[in-house]
Amino acid sequence: MLSESDLALVNALQLRPRAPWSLIGRALGVGPVTVARHWDRLVERREAWLTAYPGAAVGERLAFAFVQVDCAPGEAMRVARTVAGDAQLTAVDYVAGPCDLVLHLVASSLEGVSRYVVDRVSGLRGVVGTRTLVAPRMYAEGSRWQVRAISREQRRLLMAAEPSPGMSPRFGELDRDLLLALGENARASHAELASRLGVGASTVRRHLGAALAGGVIRLRCEIARSLSPAPVTMLLWLRVPPDQLERSARTLGRFPEVRMCAAVSGAANLLVGVWLRSPGDAVGLESEMVAKLSRLEIVDRAVTLRPVKLGGCLLDERGRIEGRVAMDFWR
């Protein structure tokens, strides 16, 4: 596992991904040069990284789906590596459960979801079946999950200078270009971004500030799952009464283990992704979920055996980053 100082730095960047090194160093009790070098070492070892993706305000204009893929014996990892380079997929997991692979798909429309599954995935050699679960609403996503390695006082210091949430601005062409540029370097300066995009630094500062404050663009700090305090990932397909869907999703979203919660089509109407310390922790977590939501049913489960892609980033067998795929869902 990463050291306590590694985890503290990751936690600080999960809270304030673009905060000045002076502020992060002050919160962690070290100098800005020291903390910047510390981050560079984590990046060089491919154990932690930053990425960018569209926020909920943009997500309302996109179509989300989870694709369960059945593969011929021995073909699952080959298929996973083949599709991992596709811009439409934010995550690819090889799992033990009701299927071999779970693909997290984002497209500009439901027609785009259909085209991708029918024309791309279903025709691949080694794929013997697919099931697509459309996700009409995302209640919780990855940016909310944290390693929780810093104190309340450190969190207060980091968040004191955080701009208050604003109204979500309209997502335009410049915001799309900013999103893609930040996906490569989330801490790029305003001047660097301006040079790349061919606009003024003041324009970048204004657009980026509004996009981040309004949740149009989200940044997050990831770590190699095998080195994190919660190295085990599970997906839970849940069913709750339709009139309790919203309340159930809000309740589940408050569990610290929950990284993702989405409404889905199918026999289950909620799909929840959790990060756990060990497979055995799932027993206690499921018991606690049912205790809080007495009418909740667990329809199915899957344990991730190997993460192949996460947040648009390609991963090696230990979950370390080894490449990036631009999350250009509009391409």
Side-chain angles (χ1 to χ4, degrees), residues 6 9 76 95 117 142 155 176 178 199 217 230 255 262 318 328:
D6 292 338
L9 175 54
V95 303
V117 176
R155 294 173 65 88
R176 171 181 173 270
L178 277 171
V199 297
I217 295 176
F255 281 79
R318 295 186 60 196
D328 192 355

Side-chain angles (χ1 to χ4, degrees), residues 14-285:
Q14 287 175 333
L15 288 168
R16 295 289 307 277
R18 287 180 57 85
W21 290 125
S22 56
L23 175 60
I24 294 177
R26 188 161 67 251
L28 300 182
V30 295
V33 174
T34 300
V35 76
R37 287 176 177 169
H38 187 175
W39 174 247
D40 287 341
R41 288 195 299 272
L42 286 174
V43 172
E44 288 169 6
R45 298 199 304 260
R46 301 185 292 117
E47 295 172 349
W49 60 94
L50 290 164
T51 189
Y53 61 101
V58 183
E60 293 175 357
R61 301 195 292 272
L62 295 170
F64 295 83
F66 299 91
V67 185
Q68 299 174 224
V69 182
D70 300 325
C71 299
E75 294 284 352
M77 282 306 301
R78 188 189 63 78
V79 173
R81 293 191 184 99
T82 298
V83 299
D86 295 346
Q88 297 93 331
L89 300 182
T90 61
V92 177
D93 286 310
Y94 172 47
V95 303
C99 55
D100 295 305
L101 304 175
V102 177
L103 315 180
H104 299 228
L105 171 61
V106 184
S108 58
S109 64
L110 285 177
E111 291 79 9
V113 169
S114 175
R115 282 195 302 271
Y116 182 79
V117 176
V118 174
D119 299 337
R120 170 61 168 159
V121 180
S122 298
L124 288 174
R125 179 171 61 87
V127 172
V128 298
T130 64
R131 290 171 299 284
T132 303
L133 306 178
V134 174
R137 183 164 181 184
M138 298 289 293
Y139 294 102
E141 42 77 29
S143 66
R144 65 177 298 280
W145 187 88
Q146 298 178 20
V147 294
R148 301 178 186 274
I150 60 177
S151 68
R152 183 178 300 178
E153 178 59 27
Q154 289 172 312
R155 294 173 65 88
R156 186 200 63 75
L157 178 59
L158 285 166
M159 299 308 292
E162 174 75 355
S164 58
M167 292 194 61
S168 298
R170 181 180 178 184
F171 188 81
E173 191 67 23
L174 178 56
D175 301 292
R176 171 181 173 270
D177 293 341
L178 277 171
L179 173 67
L180 298 177
L182 290 167
E184 297 178 15
N185 181 7
R187 289 187 59 85
S189 69
H190 293 130
E192 290 169 332
L193 292 169
S195 176
R196 168 170 173 160
L197 303 182
V199 297
S202 60
T203 300
V204 167
R205 183 178 292 105
R206 184 174 65 255
H207 271 260
L208 183 55
L212 293 175
V216 168
I217 295 176
R218 291 194 180 278
L219 307 176
R220 74 185 185 204
C221 182
E222 299 283 10
I223 56 177
R225 212 168 307 179
S226 63
L227 303 175
S228 82
V232 177
T233 300
M234 285 189 66
L235 288 171
L236 300 173
W237 284 264
L238 310 175
R239 181 164 53 226
V240 298
D243 62 342
Q244 296 183 19
L245 184 66
E246 297 280 336
R247 183 178 68 84
S248 299
R250 288 195 299 270
T251 299
L252 293 168
R254 288 193 286 268
F255 281 79
E257 298 89 349
V258 171
R259 181 179 170 89
M260 180 273 296
C261 180
V264 292
S265 58
N269 54 6
L270 281 174
L271 180 60
V272 174
V274 298
W275 282 24
L276 305 169
R277 291 170 299 180
S278 70
D281 286 351
V283 177
L285 178 62

